[in-house]
Amino acid sequence: MRDRRAYDDVALCAPITVPYQRLSTQSAHWWAGKAMRALADATGLGPSEFDGFCFASFSAAPDTAVGMVQHLGLSPRWLDHIPTGGASGVMALRRAARAVQCGDAEIVACVAADTNQLDSHRRLLTAFSRFSQDAVYPYGFGGPNATFALITDQYMRTYGVERADFGKLCVAQRSNARSNPLALLRDPLTLDQYLRARAISDPVHLFDCVMPCAGAEAFIVTTPEVARRLNLPHARIMATIERHNAYPEDATQLRGGWAVDADELWSMAGIGASDIDTLQVYDDYPVIVAMQIEDLGFCPKGRVAEFIRATSFEIGGDLPLNTNGGQLSAGQAGAAGGFQNVTEGLRQVLRMPLGAQVPAAEIALVSGFGLVAYDRGICSAAAILGACR
Amino acid sequence: MTAKPRREPRDPLARRQEKHVPPGARSRAMQAMSARAATGRFVLQTCVNCQTVTYPPRDVCPKCWNELVWADQVRGATVLSETTIRVTTDLYFRDHLPWRMGKVALDAGPVALAHLHQDLKPGDPAEMHLLLDKRGNAALFATPSGGAFDMSDPQWREFVVSVRDSTVLVSDGSSAVGRAIVSALRAAGAGSIIAGSPQPSRAPQSSDAFASIEGVRSVRLDLTDARSITECLTGIGGPLDIVVNTARFMRSGGITAGRLLDQKRALEIGVVGFMRLAQASAPLLRTRRASAFVDILSIHALAAEAGFAGYSAAEAARLSLVQSFRHEMRAEGVRVVSVFAGPIDDEDHQSVPLPKLAPARLAQGVIEAIEKGREQLCVGDAAQDAMDRWFDDPALYIREKNA
């Protein structure tokens, strides 16, 4: 197979997080507008200057990126709609990067925006996918909690992972969230509280679950020249991968698509896992965090329990993980949940964090995971971002 | 008679606990799976080209993109993982929490999510059942392998209707079929059986027949008379779990040679009478946690038997009505069952040549259909043969039946 071309002459900048709300009376369009306003404030750019637009949302129906362009008064020469939820952030930057690199667009706004009205979550769950309607909902309607409970159950038994191991990840992320003023869940969380929490869908307990909320995330993909001209700190893409429906023959998802492409990720970046200063992985459930730690190559497959026990994940620790608190503590704003690992990784290497700064952060690994159609997440993606100074 | 639990006096103003049904949206392919599950088949899609067995239902083979057909499959499986759902946004399942489900590796090939019997745990071999949920859609249910299992499993009981301790109305208990069904219900542990008797002339006979049987009460029930239906149902004086409609009027005769009076009576009992009974009993059935309306249908409902023109028309019309009734009752969580039979060895089929179905065998089928949660069952070779021919080539079947 032909080698993947490098992502030269592409700059990532202007990470935006529109402060989340547990519930919102506003629409996804409103949240997208807030993100655009924040991008304008950060860059001085107006509607006519964005010539590329990439959009992700679960709650903008009946609109897609198409309706959103007219709603926001944009007139881009490049447009993309990304329906991949938790993988949408990395996928947006990958697509926008190639568009910029090839000259199809020069300044791409990548935006994820979702509202969370009183009934949004239930309505989203009742029409998520055809396989879910046919073969998941009729079995107790436990939502993603039940789907990931089955994965967690088998993962724990297969690899000897204990609840306390997942608990360590959740507790570390909550500790990280304590410095992030925008995180929705900032109360201290102890391992004991984690272990004693009520069961939601065994073995998934309360603190294994994210809190759905409203919010928006955004960033800009452009050329280093434009970033310098606008005086924007920026990062480069050292390597990036994506994969969909990996290992369809696996009876249960005990590994994700990252495992297919991780070697290429590292070789393209020319570094190893020990060179990563901060890890921002998709964290809908801690089992998926553990899976990414293995499949991205931070430890051998099946050894994650040992690795978790030997590693500190706090800001300032061995491997600062989901430093804004991740979705588990900051909240899951729909598709924006798939963007927050990108914006947080970008902030850390650009030294403009929401909360505490990872000391001397130069390189971040950001990773996405999206969309359960039946019994597993289908989309996976990852990118290594390095600061340009 | 088994001791019935004492019924609390009912407060007419009390807010009744509402009954919900499971989520109902399904793809067309899943509807096709449910249609087969309704007849008791355990099917999955198989590729016509590469024989890959696939699940959940698709519209094309995921291995080679060729056509898929439904095929009967082996029922074995192994439990891979489990969870107990304690939180849901669905009203039906919320009424039944905690709910246990898991993932199973089917011996047929695919993996599937399934309802788990309480005695199963990961690693266990299981037997798979394709059951209809309260809304009539197919669902996979895993039970311990090896035949017998504890049928009191509360999740299992959501998919079937139990005859034990139930109150059952048999619309015509005086016919040979009706008497056999009453006996079978008794043997299956029904708590209370109300045996209708349409004609005063036959009533003494049936009353005598049931007088000595505990738990069986003969009442006058004439489906041509709305008042008699109301009186019968009011007289039950408590919940009604199951209705078995055995009432019919069968006389030989074609269009030109038959007696119009007989044809009219066949329609009056078999069609309009059914509607009266269905309308009157539905409000009682829909309040029950698990309830069923069973209709005994002649296989002549599929294609007319020219020598029984009026009777065939009545059966065909009732088949249509039952389809509508089933649709309405799915929203209420009431199972509507069609039990098909060929010629029966009874008073109505005296002139019909053998083979004929023994009424006791038909009665056994009724019990099976109820307790296995079917919507449709063919009892006996004649009914199954007719159904197979009908499925295979309806136009040919209509011709050859009267050739």
Side-chain angles (χ1 to χ4, degrees), chain A residues 121-122 125-126 130-131 133-143 145-147 149-151 153-154 157 198-204 248-253 374-376, chain B residues 23 25-27 29-30 55-59 63 80-90 93 97 99 101-103 105 111-115 122 133 138-141 159:
Chain A
H121 190 64
R122 190 189 63 80
L125 286 187
T126 41
R130 170 172 152 175
F131 282 175
Q133 282 188 342
D134 285 351
V136 184
Y137 303 155
Y139 297 89
F141 207 90
N145 294 326
T147 301
L150 293 176
I151 291 174
D153 174 49
Q154 194 159 358
R157 283 186 284 107
R198 70 187 167 100
I200 301 296
S201 186
D202 318 44
V204 166
E249 69 283 4
D250 288 4
T252 300
Q253 184 169 43
Y374 173 41
D375 61 341
R376 63 194 68 198
Chain B
R26 297 291 188 279
S27 69
M30 190 67 215
Y55 180 85
R58 289 173 161 89
D59 299 339
K63 295 283 183 199
L80 296 176
S81 53
E82 65 169 330
T83 186
T84 302
I85 294 169
R86 299 172 193 280
V87 176
T88 176
T89 55
D90 179 77
F93 285 112
L97 291 177
W99 191 271
M101 52 87 77
K103 184 179 251 189
V111 294
L113 303 187
H115 303 292
D133 69 16
L140 291 162
F141 200 111
F159 291 87

Side-chain angles (χ1 to χ4, degrees), chain A residues 53-76:
Chain A
F53 183 64
C54 183
F55 184 63
S57 179
F58 288 116
S59 55
D63 281 350
T64 65
V66 178
M68 203 54 66
V69 161
Q70 194 170 26
H71 200 103
L72 297 172
L74 296 167
S75 183

Side-chain angles (χ1 to χ4, degrees), chain B residues 251-258 263 300 303-313 398-399 401-403:
Chain B
R251 295 291 184 274
S252 63
I255 299 289
T256 51
Q263 325 271 40
H300 299 336
E305 174 76 28
F308 291 88
Y311 175 65
S312 296
I398 292 166
R399 278 180 168 269
K401 184 163 178 178
N402 293 299

